Amino acid sequence: MTSPASGPVVAIQSGSVEGSNEAGLQVFKGIPYAAPPVGKLRWKPPTAVAAWKDVRAAKDFGKACIQPTTRAPSIYSSDVSPTGEDCLTLNVWAPDDAKNAPVFVWIHGGALWSGTSKETMYDGSALARQGLVVVSINYRMGVLGYLAHPQLSAESADGVSGNYGLLDQVAALQWVQDNIAKFGGDAGNVTIAGESAGGLSVLYLMASPNARGLFHKAIAQSAYMISTQHLKEDRYGVPAAEKIGIQLAAKSQVVNIAGLRDIDAQALTDGAAVLGFMPFAAVDGKVLPRQLVDSFGHREQAPVPLLVGFNSGEIRSLTMLAPPVPANAAAYESAIRERYGDLADEFLRLYPSSDMQESIYATTRDALYGWTSERLARAQAAIGQPSYLYLFDHGYPAADAAGLHAFHASEIPYVFGTFDKTPPRWPKVEAAPRETRMSDAMIGYWTSFARDGVPQAKGEAAWPRFAQGKSYMRFGDEPQVERALMPGMFELHEAAMVRRAKANQAWNWNVGMVSPVLAK
């Protein structure tokens, strides 16, 4: 016999779920959106979850997906336990009176290696109190989410493999289409949003035919449009994804996929990380038809409004992506001239030797995040869609004192209104009037964009489209509209990317002092 429900109960396609009442919100946690990808379902596209008869408790977050064992804690580290392969769950925050409310789907970051939807900083309460139905999702990561192998491709009706984590995200969006109306959400008004690898995932979803029609707006925070592996070909200096899978199996001392499926998931994940496995989506001609630069360059991306931007101090907390400072200015300038040739004068204008550390940080930031953001804003404008560009240049006392002004992901607690829920080593944000105003502004811009595609915040500057004179919003001491973000930045990195692509070279964080020699 089932006990009487003490929280809100919603009947979805797979069964009824009971959530919690939280100060005017109905909150549901750990709802499965696909079958557990375990045993023979490891490295299979997500399949339908088995239906249940009794009311299922949805008051606790599900397991985080398997991720490498943390060895060197950082400001991003938090306790994500328990973890497991049975992790394909999502969470919903909905206003009590929600009816045809806009839907905001959050995709967490973590380099496609780590992270979880239960990270406290992603609590959807503040956004839900502005009238959104907020959904956050888990998806397979690392070797469990992105391994390709010829034997896996042979199992597929499409002859492809890898991209399982991306297919999980598609399945979660399909769940939203099928079920979100029961929570008061409008399946015809869905915004996908994510930061870092979550922003990269937004780009993958915009480029993937599998996700077409499952969302209607997109927000990409600190996304990076870098080159990725092809499934069956060595391209851009990277072996084919299937070849990488063969190599990983050999190093794991197994001869086939059945053997890999028998290995403990945590041991497999830790071993793959040690061996240098890099989880990225693979260009397979099906799930991901082309390189992202080509999908957006050929105007094949989802025709939806886009809000996109990056942080001025991205690399201050990601110093592993930046090469060391050379011995002197002469060595710096010589290396740049050798690598950039006829582009060197412009490079040195933008990134001078007068402050080599700052120039190196800025080079990596712009090649990954700045160029990507402006390229995306331009691409959506080119297909007649509204695009809104931002630069987050807001510092606060604890971060600035640690040399982390506007560091990677530092905008997230402002967007979610979660100053009190950041990870343990995160520079703490005090809820002072200046910080509260910035958070209220960003919540306003983000929620209004999700509602009707136009970012607005009460009492703050009107945010024009990028197409209006290359306008962008600078979140400094306060939101302020400016024009022409970092003149010359986009053009330099676009030229470098084009030359690399033509020379079959990768484009990512191998820039500046560690750039390959660019073709003329």
Side-chain angles (χ1 to χ4, degrees), residues 4-85:
S6 60
V9 175
V10 171
I12 58 176
Q13 286 189 345
S14 49
S16 294
V17 290
E18 180 190 352
S20 304
N21 290 304
E22 298 183 9
L25 302 178
Q26 297 183 1
V27 181
F28 300 81
K29 300 175 180 177
I31 303 174
Y33 66 83
V38 300
K40 292 183 179 180
L41 294 183
R42 181 186 287 180
W43 299 310
K44 291 281 191 180
T47 56
V49 64
W52 56 85
K53 293 183 179 180
D54 293 336
V55 176
R56 182 183 184 119
K59 299 185 178 184
D60 297 307
F61 290 112
K63 294 178 181 179
C65 291
I66 297 286
Q67 46 205 282
T69 303
T70 300
R71 290 180 172 82
S74 73
I75 62 172
Y76 304 107
S77 302
S78 60
D79 183 7
V80 301
S81 62
T83 63
E85 279 191 276

Side-chain angles (χ1 to χ4, degrees), residues 126-480:
L127 296 179
R129 290 194 173 95
Q130 298 300 311
L132 304 186
V133 172
V134 179
V135 179
S136 63
I137 68 173
N138 285 343
Y139 55 93
R140 282 174 284 181
M141 302 176 293
V143 69
L144 296 172
Y146 292 94
L147 179 74
H149 192 283
Q151 292 178 21
L152 291 173
S153 297
E155 294 177 0
S156 163
D158 290 326
V160 300
S161 59
N163 294 338
Y164 303 107
L166 177 55
L167 290 171
D168 292 343
Q169 296 170 10
V170 172
L173 292 176
Q174 186 61 60
W175 183 96
V176 168
Q177 289 297 306
D178 295 339
N179 296 284
I180 207 63
K182 298 295 183 67
F183 299 87
D186 180 1
N189 189 10
V190 176
T191 298
I192 57 172
E195 185 271 342
S196 194
L200 173 62
S201 296
V202 167
L203 305 194
Y204 287 153
L205 290 166
M206 291 180 72
S208 177
N210 298 58
R212 198 57 49 89
L214 299 181
F215 61 92
H216 312 92
K217 305 179 196 71
I219 299 175
Q221 301 168 211
S222 299
Y224 41 104
M225 193 185 283
I226 63 177
S227 53
T228 194
Q229 58 206 356
H230 284 243
L231 181 63
K232 296 180 181 293
E233 303 174 66
D234 298 352
R235 295 287 299 276
Y236 305 119
V238 179
E242 286 187 346
K243 187 181 293 184
I244 294 171
I246 293 172
Q247 294 168 350
L248 180 67
K251 291 176 180 177
S252 302
Q253 299 182 325
V254 296
V255 297
N256 54 33
I257 289 299
L260 282 177
R261 285 183 170 131
D262 287 338
I263 297 177
D264 173 76
Q266 188 65 59
L268 181 66
T269 296
D270 287 340
V274 170
L275 292 171
F277 180 83
M278 296 288 286
F280 287 110
V283 175
D284 59 8
K286 298 287 185 179
V287 180
L288 192 63
R290 303 177 187 246
Q291 290 287 337
L292 289 174
V293 293
D294 294 326
S295 288
F296 283 83
H298 288 83
R299 304 185 179 187
E300 297 168 349
Q301 75 274 24
V304 298
L306 174 70
L307 190 155
V308 61
F310 67 109
N311 298 359
S312 64
E314 299 276 8
I315 310 302
R316 296 186 187 283
S317 58
L318 301 175
T319 55
M320 77 293 290
L321 298 179
V325 176
N328 51 55
Y332 174 81
E333 293 186 12
S334 176
I336 296 305
R337 293 197 180 281
E338 176 188 359
R339 288 163 170 76
Y340 283 80
D342 59 302
L343 298 178
D345 284 345
E346 177 65 356
F347 186 104
L348 292 170
R349 182 187 73 80
L350 291 169
Y351 312 108
S353 61
S354 54
D355 190 336
M356 291 184 287
Q357 182 65 85
E358 287 303 308
S359 287
I360 287 171
Y361 283 166
T363 299
T364 308
R365 174 199 67 198
D366 294 349
L368 287 175
Y369 307 108
W371 163 76
T372 294
S373 295
E374 183 160 341
R375 198 176 205 273
L376 291 168
R378 288 170 177 244
Q380 292 310 99
I383 61 172
Q385 290 293 327
S387 60
Y388 299 89
L389 179 65
Y390 74 84
L391 173 67
F392 186 79
D393 190 26
H394 182 77
Y396 59 94
D400 288 352
L404 294 173
H405 180 86
F407 63 95
H408 183 69
S410 60
E411 86 285 2
I412 291 176
Y414 290 86
V415 170
F416 281 89
T418 48
F419 290 168
D420 59 337
K421 296 177 180 179
T422 54
R425 294 175 177 82
W426 193 279
K428 295 303 177 186
V429 189
E430 298 295 336
R434 174 178 179 269
E435 310 312 327
T436 301
R437 175 189 172 184
M438 181 60 73
S439 181
D440 289 345
M442 296 188 77
I443 289 172
Y445 287 125
W446 264 241
T447 55
S448 64
F449 179 79
R451 184 171 54 249
D452 56 29
V454 180
Q456 298 174 315
K458 185 178 180 180
E460 303 293 352
W463 190 340
R465 296 185 184 188
F466 172 78
Q468 295 175 231
K470 297 183 181 178
S471 298
Y472 70 99
M473 184 68 77
R474 178 177 171 270
F475 293 102
D477 290 335
E478 61 185 28
Q480 184 174 343

